[in-house]
């Protein structure tokens, strides 16, 4: 799973992206335990989703490319209501794709986060056409507007 994530997102080679290490994971879990979701079979994880609750102001700064993913996480307060949700990443092993796993995991996370935070918007930084389509489907199902940062080349 980690190899697939590195292939798709290449976070180690891009300082704009969030490199999820133990420190980052602890901070994200303080924001909300539902930031991470995974689906496993008998061999281990086959689908993994990361969402990041934040403020509308930080969402706007991110969409305008004024801050990167690391800054988005670093500046998100842990003690205030969070109104925006960044659809950060979804990774599904190839043989498990097209089964709705990423959609289901994202929607479950959204519902859990909504119990504590008044989410008003979703946002995404698409890396692929599939990711863009998935974000659209998630937003439609969650009945939230979707904002996009310019797609990666």
């Amino acid at each position: 799973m980690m190899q697939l994530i590195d292939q798709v997102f290449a976070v180690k080679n891009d300082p704009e992206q969030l490199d999820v290490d133990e420190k980052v994971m602890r901070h994200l879990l303080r924001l909300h335990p539902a930031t991470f979701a995974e689906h496993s079979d008998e061999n281990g994880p086959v689908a993994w989703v990361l969402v990041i609750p934040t403020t509308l102001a930080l969402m706007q700064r991110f969409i305008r490319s004024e801050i990167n993913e690391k800054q988005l996480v670093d500046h998100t307060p842990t003690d205030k209501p969070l109104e925006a949700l960044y659809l950060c990443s979804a990774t599904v092993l190839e043989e498990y794709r097209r089964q709705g796993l990423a959609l289901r995991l994202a929607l479950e996370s959204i519902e859990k986060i909504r119990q504590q935070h008044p989410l008003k918007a979703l946002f995404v930084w698409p890396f692929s056409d599939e990711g863009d389509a998935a974000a659209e489907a998630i937003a439609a199902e969650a009945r939230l507007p979707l904002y996009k940062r310019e797609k990666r080349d």
Side-chain angles (χ1 to χ4, degrees):
M1 181 63 77
M2 294 310 292
Q3 288 176 325
L4 179 60
I5 291 168
D6 194 42
Q7 286 174 355
V8 173
F9 298 104
V11 296
K12 303 282 187 222
N13 302 322
D14 187 349
E16 290 289 301
Q17 292 185 68
L18 184 65
D19 187 5
V20 180
D21 59 17
E22 298 243 355
K23 181 182 173 192
V24 171
M25 285 179 84
R26 282 192 304 273
H27 181 71
L28 291 171
L29 291 171
R30 276 193 307 273
L31 292 176
H32 198 283
T35 55
F36 295 99
E38 75 176 29
H39 177 80
S40 298
D41 70 6
E42 62 278 356
N43 298 313
V46 299
W48 186 73
V49 170
L50 170 61
V51 296
I52 302 171
T54 191
T55 65
L56 289 171
L58 286 170
M59 176 191 81
Q60 290 298 331
R61 291 185 64 203
F62 182 81
I63 295 298
R64 293 190 301 261
S65 298
E66 295 172 6
I67 60 173
N68 62 33
E69 285 181 344
K70 181 176 182 341
Q71 292 165 323
L72 176 73
V73 170
D74 288 347
H75 296 314
T76 296
T78 58
D79 60 346
K80 294 184 177 177
L82 303 172
E83 299 175 316
L85 189 69
Y86 177 41
L87 304 175
C88 184
S89 66
T91 307
V92 180
L93 294 180
E94 191 168 343
E95 59 270 28
Y96 290 86
R97 292 185 185 156
R98 304 233 181 266
Q99 297 177 25
L101 292 174
L103 175 67
R104 182 176 54 79
L105 290 171
L107 290 171
E108 287 172 2
S109 289
I110 289 168
E111 286 311 308
K112 289 175 184 174
I113 293 169
R114 274 180 161 165
Q115 292 173 11
Q116 292 173 297
H117 297 286
L119 297 179
K120 295 180 179 172
L122 303 176
F123 63 111
V124 66
W125 184 16
F127 278 66
S128 66
D129 291 339
E130 294 86 356
D132 200 11
E136 294 278 354
I138 291 165
E141 286 284 329
R143 293 189 173 114
L144 288 167
L146 178 67
Y147 299 90
K148 297 180 185 181
R149 181 169 170 156
E150 187 174 310
K151 197 175 201 177
R152 299 287 297 222
D153 292 329

